């Protein structure tokens, strides 16, 4: 004869250590053959339920040896024990242990979730079992919509879902009326006749009397056992095929369960989502505003010309009047001869009062050369700019900025008109295209351009230049050109009484500064995302505590630790991903709304991906601890939780 189905030798179980240790089972020796219908009978506290937990691989003994089909259970890993609970055992509990949020059919399907059956196969098998047990009209009912007897039948159907070679029934009639109890016992007796090995735990002698073999246990010791019957190999339950479940299928089921869990407590789910939504929306909005401001500043500075060198009088860090008297027109002419220089534009500036008719205005006067529009990349909207001949002849001609035109010529074409500048008549020959405000908020259009010769002699009475703007042909060589101009001026002046600013490097510096500011804004907003992640962890920890019994039920029906870990981690990821998606939409909408108030915003894919990715990682990181806690729960303790 082969090895017995179940063989216990010297099994002991105690809880606690030392003086506080409580011995529940003492030297249990028991053999159960395949096909037996066994009742283990004893009063409350006798140890019968603890013995059932050990038989069903829900708990491990403190001592002794348990062999199942010849295999030493103590040598099996956690996953191998889970496989036994999934494929070999079927549990029928006194309190049913059904999942309240699932229908009768879905409760029956739970063991098959971990055995690799497809959704269609699970559904067909569950419906067939429930129909066989007389519940064909209760497939969609939740446990709260079923009577006690009906819930116990659902529990029996769940035990049979993966075959149920060994049925472990713990006080299956304890919570039922006599009629429902009789129906459940008839079902168990029928299963025993079909070849299932049925182990019944009960305190009721009348219930135990219906079994073929009655074992009595008291104070953790077996006090009566007629011995095992012969194995009924001819009626053994055929092994059901166990297809390998795919990871994609498991993840899909985990996502479905996650949404079901969220739906069961919408208010708490909404509060959990809120932290992630606010965090993601804040990051996107802040980065959009920061990037928009950066783009505006860089574009404004770039509009002045990224190929420019600005030569100003005065030694480095020198301030005051002396700093304005070192550059002359001859320096400009010398700079024009340097290689890679496209143009050298002088500028003399100051304020003056303009009068046209009875209107006065005080713009900035910029005395410059004919190369100014090309060097500064500033076009005209009307008329022409003055020429080199105008410079040579000290012509009294002027080109107006748009703000000056608006102030002095609201209803008149300015071209050809004469304006009084410090009591000197200047003819308007052109109007510059609108430029707008500078990065520093200055109105760039509130300016009048005149020939530098005319301005220096007739308006300002000076020959010194405020600055020389140099444009280069090849920006890649702008550094070499800057060095060459520095050597030239140093040779001409004998001392370093000038400063050269590279607009390209200024743009790079401003870009770096605004980029840092943008990331600072994003980091501040990311703090709310971190707070949202902590909220996810707190809610998931609460969820694990509330659903401890569910974890126990899933473990009893075959879930491995990785299944539990995967389930709760998926729920955290679903919360974070859903909150991230909503946050992305709200963040983009908020940024668009801000843009309507003429605040510069810039949309790009990077902040969206960054914010959503951070939300996803937040769910992964902060969901790990609660998921790990759930996966490490002891099945017996979890089942006993309320």
């Amino acid at each position: 004869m082969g090895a017995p189905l179940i063989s216990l030798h010297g099994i002991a179980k105690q809880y606690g250590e030392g003086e506080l240790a409580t011995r529940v089972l003492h030297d249990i020796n028991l053999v159960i053959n395949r096909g037996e219908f066994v009742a283990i009978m004893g009063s409350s506290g006798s140890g019968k339920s603890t013995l059932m937990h050990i038989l069903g691989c829900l708990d491990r003994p403190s001592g002794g040896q348990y062999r199942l089909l010849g295999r030493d259970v103590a040598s099996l890993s956690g996953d191998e024990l889970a496989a036994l609970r999934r494929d070999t055992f079927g549990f029928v509990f006194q309190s049913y242990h059904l999942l309240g949020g699932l229908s009768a059919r879905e409760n029956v399907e739970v063991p098959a979730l971990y055995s690799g059956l497809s959704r269609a196969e699970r559904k067909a098998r569950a419906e067939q079992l429930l129909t066989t047990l007389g519940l064909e009209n209760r497939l969609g009912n939740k446990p709260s919509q079923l009577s006690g007897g009906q819930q116990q039948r659902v529990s029996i159907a769940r035990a049979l879902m993966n075959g149920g070679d060994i049925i472990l029934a713990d006080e299956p009639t304890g919570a039922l009326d006599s009629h429902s109890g009789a129906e459940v016992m008839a079902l168990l007796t029928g299963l025993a006749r079909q070849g299932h090995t049925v182990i019944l735990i009960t305190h009721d002698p009348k219930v135990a009397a219906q079994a073929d073999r009655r074992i009595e246990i008291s104070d953790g010791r077996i006090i009566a056992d007629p011995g095992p019957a012969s194995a009924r190999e001819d009626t053994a339950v055929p092994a059901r095929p166990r297809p390998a479940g795919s990871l994609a299928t498991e993840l899909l089921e985990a996502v479905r369960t996650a949404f079901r869990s969220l739906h069961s407590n919408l208010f708490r789910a909404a509060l959990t989502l809120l932290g992630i939504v606010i965090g993601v929306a804040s990051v996107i909005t802040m980065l959009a505003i920061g990037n928009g401001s950066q783009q505006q500043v860089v574009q404004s500075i770039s509009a002045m010309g990224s190929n420019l060198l600005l030569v100003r009088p005065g030694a480095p860090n020198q301030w005051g009047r002396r700093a304005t008297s070192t550059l002359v027109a001859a320096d400009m002419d010398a700079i024009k001869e340097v290689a890679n220089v496209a143009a050298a534009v002088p500028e003399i500036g100051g304020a003056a009062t303009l009068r046209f008719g009875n209107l006065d205005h005080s713009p900035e006067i910029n005395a410059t050369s004919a190369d100014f529009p090309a060097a500064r990349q500033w076009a005209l909207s009307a008329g022409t700019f003055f020429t080199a001949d105008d410079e040579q002849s000290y012509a009294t001609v002027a080109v107006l900025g748009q703000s000056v035109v608006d102030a002095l010529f609201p209803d008149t074409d300015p071209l050809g008109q004469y304006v009084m500048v410090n009591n000197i008549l200047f003819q308007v020959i052109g109007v510059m295209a609108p430029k707008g405000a500078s990065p520093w908020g200055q109105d760039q259009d509130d300016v009048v351009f005149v020939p530098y010769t005319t301005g220096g002699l007739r308006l300002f009475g000076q020959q010194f230049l405020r600055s020389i703007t140099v444009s280069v042909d090849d920006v890649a060589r702008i550094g070499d050109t800057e060095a060459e101009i520095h050597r030239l001026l140093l040779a001409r002046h004998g001392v370093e009484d000038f400063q050269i600013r590279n607009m390209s490097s200024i743009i790079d510096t401003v870009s770096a500064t605004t980029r840092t500011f943008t990331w600072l804004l994003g980091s501040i907003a990311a703090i709310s995302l971190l707070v949202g992640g902590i909220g996810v962890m707190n809610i998931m920890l609460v969820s694990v505590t509330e659903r401890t019994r569910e974890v126990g039920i899933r473990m009893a029906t075959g879930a491995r630790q990785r299944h539990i870990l995967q389930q709760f981690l998926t729920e955290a990821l679903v919360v974070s991903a859903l909150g991230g998606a909503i946050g992305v939409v709200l963040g983009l909408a908020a940024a668009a709304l801000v843009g309507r108030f003429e605040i510069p915003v810039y949309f790009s894919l990077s902040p969206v991906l960054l914010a959503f990715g951070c939300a996803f990682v937040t769910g992964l990181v902060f969901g790990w601890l609660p998921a790990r806690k759930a996966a490490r729960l002891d099945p017996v303790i979890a089942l006993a939780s309320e």
Side-chain angles (χ1 to χ4, degrees):
M1 294 180 64
L5 180 63
I6 292 174
S7 174
L8 304 182
H9 181 71
I11 291 294
K13 180 65 179 179
Q14 74 174 33
Y15 297 101
E17 299 291 340
E19 297 180 356
L20 298 177
T22 301
R23 197 72 174 253
V24 179
L25 296 178
H26 307 265
D27 195 28
I28 299 294
N29 297 294
L30 180 64
V31 173
I32 299 176
N33 285 323
R34 186 181 296 279
E36 285 196 86
F37 185 8
V38 180
I40 299 177
M41 184 175 63
S43 61
S44 296
S46 61
K48 59 184 185 300
S49 292
T50 301
L51 179 58
M52 188 204 79
H53 293 153
I54 292 174
L55 289 173
C57 299
L58 293 171
D59 201 359
R60 292 180 182 266
S62 304
Q65 186 182 61
Y66 173 20
R67 302 186 73 86
L68 181 65
L69 283 174
R71 299 175 66 191
D72 186 357
V73 172
S75 67
L76 301 181
S77 67
D79 284 350
E80 288 173 323
L81 292 175
L84 282 177
R85 294 193 294 266
R86 180 192 69 205
D87 300 335
T88 302
F89 295 104
F91 294 91
V92 180
F93 299 101
Q94 176 181 0
S95 54
Y96 324 128
H97 283 334
L98 301 179
L99 300 179
L102 304 184
S103 66
R105 177 179 57 77
E106 290 169 334
N107 267 285
V108 175
E109 289 182 25
V110 169
L113 291 174
Y114 310 114
S115 65
L117 285 180
S118 68
R119 193 177 186 190
E121 291 174 314
R122 294 197 307 267
K123 181 179 178 181
R125 169 84 174 150
E127 289 179 355
Q128 180 232 327
L129 287 170
L130 290 171
T131 299
T132 302
L133 296 177
L135 294 175
E136 63 274 11
N137 296 324
R138 297 288 187 271
L139 300 178
N141 288 43
K142 300 289 179 66
S144 59
Q145 299 168 322
L146 301 173
S147 67
Q150 290 171 334
Q151 291 186 63
Q152 196 62 290
R153 281 192 243 171
V154 173
S155 179
I156 293 173
R158 181 181 61 192
L160 297 173
M161 184 66 188
N162 286 344
D165 189 7
I166 303 174
I167 303 294
L168 293 168
D170 185 11
E171 298 281 7
T173 63
L176 303 177
D177 57 62
S178 58
H179 177 72
S180 298
E183 289 182 339
V184 168
M185 285 306 303
L187 289 172
L188 293 176
T189 302
L191 292 175
R193 300 294 176 260
Q194 294 170 20
H196 294 270
T197 302
V198 179
I199 302 174
L200 176 67
I201 308 297
T202 183
H203 69 280
D204 190 343
K206 294 181 180 179
V207 172
Q210 300 180 54
D212 299 327
R213 175 184 172 191
R214 290 171 292 283
I215 299 171
E216 293 185 43
I217 185 171
S218 178
D219 295 329
R221 302 178 186 275
I222 293 179
I223 59 175
D225 179 10
S230 299
R232 299 169 54 195
E233 298 293 341
D234 57 321
T235 56
V237 176
R240 296 180 59 80
R242 305 296 176 202
S246 68
L247 181 60
T249 301
E250 290 181 3
L251 290 177
L252 183 60
E253 290 300 329
V255 170
R256 287 197 184 102
T257 304
F259 276 106
R260 187 184 292 119
S261 175
L262 291 175
H263 185 265
S264 65
N265 199 326
L266 286 176
F267 183 69
R268 187 172 69 189
L271 292 179
T272 307
L273 288 172
L274 189 60
I276 299 294
V277 168
I278 292 175
V280 171
S282 299
V283 169
I284 291 177
T285 304
M286 289 295 189
L287 289 180
I289 294 173
N291 287 333
S293 300
Q294 176 184 347
Q295 291 281 335
Q296 185 185 51
V297 171
V298 171
Q299 287 174 2
S300 297
I301 296 178
S302 298
M304 300 177 186
S306 59
N307 64 332
L308 300 181
L309 296 171
L310 184 62
V311 184
R312 298 182 66 87
N317 301 319
Q318 180 180 351
W319 300 89
R321 185 174 181 83
R322 289 178 56 198
T324 65
S325 306
T326 59
L327 290 180
V328 295
D331 292 326
M332 172 193 67
D333 295 331
I335 290 173
K336 288 181 180 179
E337 302 302 321
V338 174
N340 196 40
V341 171
V345 178
E347 292 186 53
I348 305 173
T353 300
L354 270 69
R355 174 172 295 177
F356 177 74
N358 60 352
L359 297 177
D360 290 338
H361 187 61
S362 298
E364 179 187 0
I365 305 297
N366 190 340
T368 184
S369 71
D371 294 329
F372 181 88
R376 286 296 184 91
Q377 301 177 13
W378 193 345
L380 282 83
S381 63
T384 61
F385 208 76
F386 46 81
T387 64
D389 291 338
D390 293 327
E391 297 171 15
Q392 296 297 323
S393 62
Y394 294 84
T396 52
V397 291
V399 179
L400 308 183
Q402 188 60 52
S403 294
V404 180
V405 173
D406 294 340
L408 297 180
F409 302 95
D411 302 312
T412 307
D413 183 0
L415 294 181
Q417 301 291 341
Y418 287 87
V419 294
M420 187 76 71
V421 183
N422 286 355
N423 298 321
I424 300 173
L425 283 175
F426 279 74
Q427 185 179 21
V428 178
I429 62 172
V431 176
M432 303 301 292
K435 197 75 167 179
S438 70
W440 304 276
Q442 181 182 0
D443 184 3
Q444 299 181 85
D445 297 318
D446 195 19
V447 64
V448 175
F449 298 98
V450 300
Y452 75 94
T453 52
T454 308
L457 178 64
R458 308 192 63 175
L459 294 180
F460 305 117
Q462 69 178 55
Q463 61 179 339
F464 299 106
L465 305 179
R466 181 182 65 183
S467 65
I468 301 173
T469 301
V470 180
S471 66
V472 300
D473 289 319
D474 186 359
V475 178
R477 295 165 51 201
I478 193 170
D480 296 335
T481 306
E482 178 184 359
E484 182 62 28
I485 293 174
H486 184 275
R487 286 192 292 268
L488 172 66
L489 293 179
L490 190 60
R492 287 179 56 83
H493 294 195
V495 294
E496 190 172 357
D497 56 357
F498 57 89
Q499 306 170 46
I500 303 176
R501 295 182 181 177
N502 189 330
M503 292 299 293
S504 179
S505 63
I506 291 176
I507 291 174
D508 292 340
T509 302
V510 170
S511 296
T513 303
T514 54
R515 192 180 304 116
T516 301
F517 180 69
T518 298
W519 281 108
L520 176 62
L521 288 177
S523 300
I524 294 173
I527 293 175
S528 60
L529 187 58
L530 177 64
V531 173
I534 295 173
V536 170
M537 182 172 65
N538 289 338
I539 293 300
M540 290 305 300
L541 285 171
V542 171
S543 180
V544 169
T545 302
E546 290 180 347
R547 296 163 60 191
T548 299
R549 191 166 67 92
E550 176 189 333
V551 173
I553 294 170
R554 291 185 180 277
M555 287 182 169
T557 53
R560 301 180 181 183
Q561 278 195 357
R562 74 172 179 85
H563 290 129
I564 303 300
L565 181 68
Q566 178 180 287
Q567 178 60 58
F568 282 91
L569 198 56
T570 300
E571 290 187 19
L573 290 175
V574 165
V575 169
S576 298
L578 187 59
I582 297 173
V584 166
V585 174
L586 291 181
L588 293 175
L593 182 62
V594 168
R596 288 182 172 272
F597 292 95
E598 298 184 356
I599 297 175
V601 295
Y602 176 74
F603 295 101
S604 65
L605 185 60
S606 298
V608 174
L609 295 179
L610 175 66
F612 186 81
C614 287
F616 199 80
V617 171
T618 297
L620 184 65
V621 172
F622 288 96
W624 171 259
L625 183 61
R628 182 169 169 267
K629 177 184 176 182
R632 291 191 170 189
L633 288 173
D634 187 296
V636 171
I637 296 175
L639 281 170
S641 175
E642 293 296 335

